[in-house]
Amino acid sequence: MNHITNILYDEDQKIFHLRGKDFSYIMQICKEGYLGHLYWGKRLRSYHGSMNFRYADRPFSPNPYPGDRTFSLDTFPQEMPAFGNTDFRVPAIQLEWPDGSRITDFRYESHRIFEGKPELVGLPATYVESDDEAATLEITLKDSFYPVSIVLSYTVFRDENVLTRSVKISNQMKEEIKILKIASMNVDFRENEWKLLHLSGAWGSERQMIERTVEQGICQIESRRGASSHQHNPFLALMRKDAGETSGEVYGCNLVYSGNFLAQIEVDGFHNTRINMGINPFDFSWRLMPDAIFQTPEVVMVYSSQGLGEMSRTFHRLYRRRLCRGIFRDQERPILINNWEATYFDFDQEKIVGIAGQASALGIELLVLDDGWFGKRNIDTDSLGDWSVNYNKLPGGLDGLAGLVKQTGMKFGLWVEPEMVSPDSDLYRAHPDWCLHVPNRNRSESRNQLVLDFSRKDVRNYILNKMINILESAPIQYIKWDMNRNMTEVGSVSLPGKNQQEVSHRYILGLYEVLEALVSRFPNVLFESCSGGGGRFDPGMLFYMPQTWTSDDTDAMERLKIQYGTSILYPAISMGSHVSAVPNHQVHRITDLKMRGDVAMSGNFGYELDLTKLSLEESVQIRDQICLYKKIRGLIQFGEQYRLLNPFKDDRTAWMFVSADQSQAYVSYFKHMGYAQEEFRTLRLQGLEPSFLYATDEGDVFGGSELMYAGIPLPQLDGDYKSYTVSLRKIEDTVPE
């Protein structure tokens, strides 16, 4: 037997046993080289064959070997299944050969096991900072007829329940082949008793938790919009039917990709469940030339034996520490004021400086100038692409404004939307072929704009140079990178007709190239991604920009579900969460300032309102909110989050954050609606040390076990949309018996 700590290979049995902190993932080479899946679940000390493959003659499941009617790929649990060679289920790979056939037959050729984790060329991925953090297994499969091979990559993180997977295909032929589908991962479970969780929604209601029973047939979650989308996040979780927030087995999968994706779940007639995930094959193909390689995005796979909560905290830790990069990964993020809902396009230098002065006096640290500072941009119908300062609004330019903002004691940030172009712009008039379009077809607009063709090198160079010039023109310390429409008429005049189905993926690769160049050149700029709010909130973007504007919907009640759903995968430090004016600009609801502040403090805190119009009472309340957040900021942004009450299932919401050493905690409770004769309630906490004694800011003292098993008493809150928060700090290591 050979191995590297976490990856064992039994040469006699041809079994691979991958072991993380508390999980095992087991595969076996069998039947003339087919790679089969044996087990993914709770860590096994050793494996002696309890899950070995069993075979039976299944009518209408054809057999690749005439002499063996018990073996069919239609019933065999595979690691990288293909269609056409006796497996009728959804495939993970489909190629088209030079003769037009689409049959593949990939068999084991070799493998290698090594310490560490390699980078994915041109793609975002999780990483390690030292080789002893992880171990990697690469299994090479080769087609039985053509000289084409695929490499399945598996990386085990030693201190987490995380396995990452990706696929690389190489063409050693003298002719090109066409990739029709290539998923990044596939798992075949030999059971079907599951619940499925995914995160769906729309603009303004992103990442709503959808839970359903898995039944025979095919269920799929996908985007065909050119972005990961508001509609579906590239994530799914299979849950045991008895699993919930704090108990039961959960298997979570998240694609590190920002474009079109597909996740499929199929239950067959033999009660097996197949899941695979990767780039969406809809309107996709890739011409793989001789000696060329195609790399798929990475899937992060998390196993939890303690419910959704532990799965989420695993994703949070991994993404905070080994997906996000740069100096801001480990820094507390600034409290900001964004002028958008305060002014929209109607501002000048004096107005912005006035907001900055008031913000500084309240303790805010960063001013972000939003849309309308460039070209003739006074409405949303023109000037995208013309990235030059509007000196009528800003007579001192960006440098002059940044200097005035700095004099107030504030940092300066800027909104940009570099992926778009307005038909009414100098850029479009000069280069009408630079947008995604199909010649002689209509060019559909959304928000009066078209999408620049980031598959083109000349377009990428133009945008990159414009962004470099902007960032070098003034002391800009924050960039909000927006993208306010999805792709239609997807075509590029720079590519031949045979390559047109590559455009969407080439666009994403081009975007990643530009972002990598920018974040590398400007390491001291904090980048935040945005796509009409949360339309591209995915791990691919977090690799370049460590935080995302969670939603354009800033209503506190709506944000309870949005932020709760987002927390299934993404840590609080990645979520932009701001207090806005009332009536709310999206849903026109009125909520009190305390409620709005308490919701927003569960992420990267900020404000989106006109601070120059506050009453004295509001100013005092906001100053107090900012003071509180600065005290708990490290806890919120780097602590462990525990979800306590689910707004999708209850008329209340609650969550809490606990420090790594369990000495501090911050609890937030939200009551949705008021009603008569409200009962007295307690809230059971999580994540505390049972033996510690904790004190609240009000001087109440409770034991850790008491708070978790009996609960903390909640006040009766009068009216609708109310909130209550409590800070806890350890005062004794041991609770007296």
Side-chain angles (χ1 to χ4, degrees):
M1 181 175 291
N2 62 62
H3 66 274
I4 294 181
T5 312
N6 289 75
I7 300 177
L8 315 177
Y9 179 59
D10 186 325
E11 294 182 4
D12 295 330
Q13 299 296 321
K14 293 183 171 56
I15 290 176
F16 299 96
H17 186 173
L18 289 65
R19 299 187 298 182
K21 180 182 179 182
D22 192 37
F23 80 92
S24 288
Y25 191 98
I26 305 175
M27 301 169 283
Q28 185 175 25
I29 306 162
C30 65
K31 292 290 184 180
E32 304 298 326
Y34 289 111
L35 183 62
H37 178 79
L38 287 172
Y39 176 80
W40 180 25
K42 189 79 172 173
R43 179 167 173 152
L44 310 180
R45 292 177 61 88
S46 59
Y47 177 72
H48 299 283
S50 62
M51 290 294 292
N52 278 5
F53 306 120
R54 292 189 280 181
Y55 306 103
D57 182 358
R58 303 288 191 183
F60 281 83
S61 291
N63 317 110
Y65 305 109
D68 185 358
R69 291 182 55 171
T70 68
F71 180 75
S72 175
L73 294 174
D74 194 36
T75 60
F76 183 66
Q78 300 174 70
E79 284 294 304
M80 197 64 182
F83 182 83
N85 188 24
T86 75
D87 190 347
F88 296 103
R89 294 167 291 176
V90 293
I93 185 169
Q94 187 177 34
L95 308 178
E96 183 178 297
W97 303 109
D99 64 2
S101 66
R102 295 176 174 85
I103 307 304
T104 58
D105 187 19
F106 284 101
R107 315 280 187 97
Y108 171 84
E109 182 181 55
S110 63
H111 74 272
R112 71 183 186 116
I113 301 170
F114 55 94
E115 301 277 11
K117 184 179 190 293
E119 296 180 356
L120 300 189
V121 177
L123 285 166
T126 56
Y127 60 89
V128 296
E129 292 188 339
S130 63
D131 284 349
D132 61 359
E133 292 181 24
T136 297
L137 165 67
E138 291 183 345
I139 302 177
T140 299
L141 309 179
K142 193 169 185 178
D143 185 70
S144 60
F145 184 73
Y146 288 108
V148 170
S149 60
I150 56 177
V151 177
L152 311 184
S153 179
Y154 303 78
T155 295
V156 181
F157 283 78
R158 290 202 167 93
D159 295 329
E160 294 288 359
N161 289 320
V162 174
L163 174 70
T164 66
R165 288 186 59 177
S166 65
V167 178
K168 182 169 58 180
I169 179 169
S170 58
N171 180 13
Q172 295 97 35
M173 297 175 61
K174 294 181 179 179
E175 299 175 87
E176 69 176 72
I177 61 173
K178 185 181 289 186
I179 302 171
L180 303 179
K181 178 181 180 180
I182 183 162
S184 298
M185 60 78 70
N186 184 92
V187 178
D188 283 356
F189 292 95
R190 285 175 278 175
E191 53 192 310
N192 69 334
E193 293 292 315
W194 304 102
K195 296 182 292 185
L196 168 66
L197 174 70
H198 60 99
L199 304 175
S200 300
W203 175 89
S205 59
E206 297 89 344
R207 289 169 301 286
Q208 307 291 293
M209 290 178 63
I210 309 296
E211 192 176 296
R212 64 180 71 177
T213 300
V214 174
E215 298 177 338
Q216 189 167 322
I218 298 175
C219 174
Q220 62 187 43
I221 301 137
E222 64 181 324
S223 172
R224 298 185 294 267
R225 295 170 173 265
S228 49
S229 83
H230 299 84
Q231 280 66 28
H232 297 286
N233 203 262
F235 161 79
L236 65 81
L238 284 182
M239 308 168 59
R240 300 289 182 190
K241 287 198 169 182
D242 62 349
E245 181 66 24
T246 60
S247 63
E249 287 189 307
V250 179
Y251 301 80
C253 302
N254 194 199
L255 183 67
V256 186
Y257 188 63
S258 307
N260 295 332
F261 73 91
L262 175 67
Q264 294 177 296
I265 306 95
E266 179 177 11
V267 177
D268 66 17
F270 306 108
H271 309 293
N272 303 306
T273 303
R274 168 172 291 176
I275 58 172
N276 65 43
M277 176 180 283
I279 294 172
N280 199 331
F282 177 84
D283 199 38
F284 166 85
S285 66
W286 191 272
R287 295 172 64 197
L288 192 63
M289 308 307 290
D291 299 319
I293 292 173
F294 183 88
Q295 173 68 60
T296 73
E298 176 176 273
V299 173
V300 177
M301 303 164 62
V302 170
Y303 169 77
S304 168
S305 61
Q306 300 177 56
L308 278 172
E310 185 53 42
M311 181 204 74
S312 296
R313 288 184 289 277
T314 301
F315 274 115
H316 295 176
R317 288 190 299 270
L318 182 73
Y319 288 173
R320 279 200 318 263
R321 301 169 183 172
R322 293 297 180 261
L323 178 70
C324 295
R325 302 177 296 163
I327 64 171
F328 295 101
R329 183 191 71 180
D330 304 318
Q331 287 185 9
E332 293 183 359
R333 308 290 167 75
I335 302 170
L336 66 83
I337 175 68
N338 184 298
N339 73 294
W340 179 241
E341 290 192 12
T343 67
Y344 293 101
F345 294 106
D346 186 19
F347 65 84
D348 56 20
Q349 182 169 288
E350 182 180 1
K351 179 64 176 179
I352 298 301
V353 173
I355 292 174
Q358 179 67 11
S360 179
L362 294 171
I364 296 174
E365 299 155 328
L366 168 70
L367 179 134
V368 179
L369 178 63
D370 211 282
D371 196 356
W373 58 267
F374 55 93
K376 301 177 294 181
R377 187 78 165 172
N378 293 310
I379 51 176
D380 67 1
T381 61
D382 61 46
S383 298
L384 282 174
D386 298 340
W387 297 107
S388 55
V389 177
N390 183 335
Y391 285 97
N392 291 326
K393 288 184 175 180
L394 307 175
L398 291 176
D399 188 45
L401 178 61
L404 293 172
V405 170
K406 184 178 180 180
Q407 289 177 19
T408 69
M410 299 270 286
K411 297 177 180 179
F412 179 69
L414 193 67
W415 175 97
V416 294
E417 192 174 1
E419 298 170 67
M420 302 294 149
V421 63
S422 301
D424 183 7
S425 67
D426 293 339
L427 177 63
Y428 186 76
R429 285 183 282 271
H431 299 285
D433 61 331
W434 276 16
C435 68
L436 294 177
H437 71 284
V438 176
N440 304 314
R441 293 283 185 181
N442 180 55
R443 302 185 183 192
S444 302
E445 296 179 19
S446 178
R447 202 173 178 253
N448 307 113
Q449 59 197 51
L450 300 166
V451 183
L452 285 173
D453 182 1
F454 266 55
S455 74
R456 296 177 58 141
K457 186 68 173 178
D458 51 359
V459 171
R460 298 197 300 273
N461 286 343
Y462 173 85
I463 291 299
L464 180 58
N465 288 330
K466 283 291 185 181
M467 293 301 107
I468 289 172
N469 290 339
I470 289 169
L471 286 165
E472 290 181 344
S473 72
I476 297 167
Q477 295 166 292
Y478 165 102
I479 285 288
K480 180 180 179 180
W481 181 292
D482 210 344
M483 190 277 283
N484 277 313
R485 65 156 295 181
N486 292 143
M487 299 178 185
T488 57
E489 292 86 37
V490 180
S492 174
V493 296
S494 69
L495 292 172
K498 292 182 179 180
N499 294 80
Q500 288 302 308
Q501 288 187 312
E502 300 174 4
V503 173
S504 295
H505 182 56
R506 287 186 180 274
Y507 180 102
I508 296 298
L509 294 178
L511 172 64
Y512 290 156
E513 176 188 300
V514 171
L515 295 181
E516 182 65 31
L518 280 174
V519 301
S520 299
R521 184 167 182 143
F522 300 99
N524 295 315
V525 174
L526 173 59
F527 287 85
E528 178 176 282
S529 67
C530 177
S531 176
R536 204 162 58 183
F537 202 138
D538 59 64
M541 294 305 291
L542 286 178
F543 182 75
Y544 303 99
M545 304 183 181
Q547 60 191 60
T548 300
W549 181 225
T550 313
S551 176
D552 278 349
D553 187 345
T554 56
D555 172 66
M557 285 297 297
E558 294 280 287
R559 273 300 188 104
L560 289 176
K561 287 186 175 180
I562 293 169
Q563 291 175 207
Y564 191 100
T566 302
S567 76
I568 293 293
L569 275 174
Y570 305 109
I573 195 172
S574 69
M575 295 186 225
S577 185
H578 301 166
V579 176
S580 60
V582 291
N584 175 263
H585 290 198
Q586 290 79 48
V587 302
H588 312 292
R589 193 191 334 260
I590 296 175
T591 52
D592 64 38
L593 188 53
K594 174 175 169 48
M595 169 78 166
R596 284 176 277 154
D598 288 341
V599 174
M601 276 191 264
S602 298
N604 277 322
F605 190 46
Y607 291 85
E608 302 244 351
L609 44 78
D610 191 345
L611 297 174
T612 66
K613 297 180 178 179
L614 298 176
S615 68
L616 178 59
E617 181 183 357
E618 289 171 328
S619 295
V620 170
Q621 195 169 355
I622 286 176
R623 186 181 292 111
D624 290 343
Q625 287 178 346
I626 292 167
C627 183
L628 171 61
Y629 188 73
K630 288 178 179 178
K631 291 179 181 178
I632 63 172
R633 174 164 45 186
L635 179 58
I636 300 295
Q637 296 182 1
F638 299 103
E640 297 273 85
Q641 184 173 3
Y642 292 83
R643 294 182 296 266
L644 308 177
L645 294 173
N646 184 344
F648 296 96
K649 297 181 177 181
D650 204 332
D651 63 349
R652 301 169 295 154
T653 305
W655 49 58
M656 63 184 292
F657 297 88
V658 182
S659 63
D661 63 2
Q662 299 173 291
S663 66
Q664 291 180 285
Y666 187 76
V667 184
S668 299
Y669 167 80
F670 306 95
K671 175 185 169 184
H672 301 179
M673 303 295 292
Y675 49 87
Q677 301 297 333
E678 180 180 354
E679 69 269 32
F680 294 113
R681 287 175 162 172
T682 58
L683 180 67
R684 292 184 180 180
L685 308 187
Q686 297 177 32
L688 302 175
E689 168 52 51
S691 65
F692 287 177
L693 206 58
Y694 293 91
T696 70
D697 286 346
E698 290 73 31
D700 296 320
V701 176
F702 304 99
S705 60
E706 179 184 9
L707 291 168
M708 291 193 292
Y709 311 140
I712 191 170
L714 294 171
Q716 289 187 306
L717 304 173
D718 295 331
D720 302 336
Y721 324 133
K722 298 299 180 182
S723 61
Y724 168 72
T725 63
V726 59
S727 293
L728 298 168
R729 69 185 189 282
K730 181 190 77 172
I731 57 172
E732 295 288 347
D733 285 340
T734 305
V735 179
E737 290 288 347

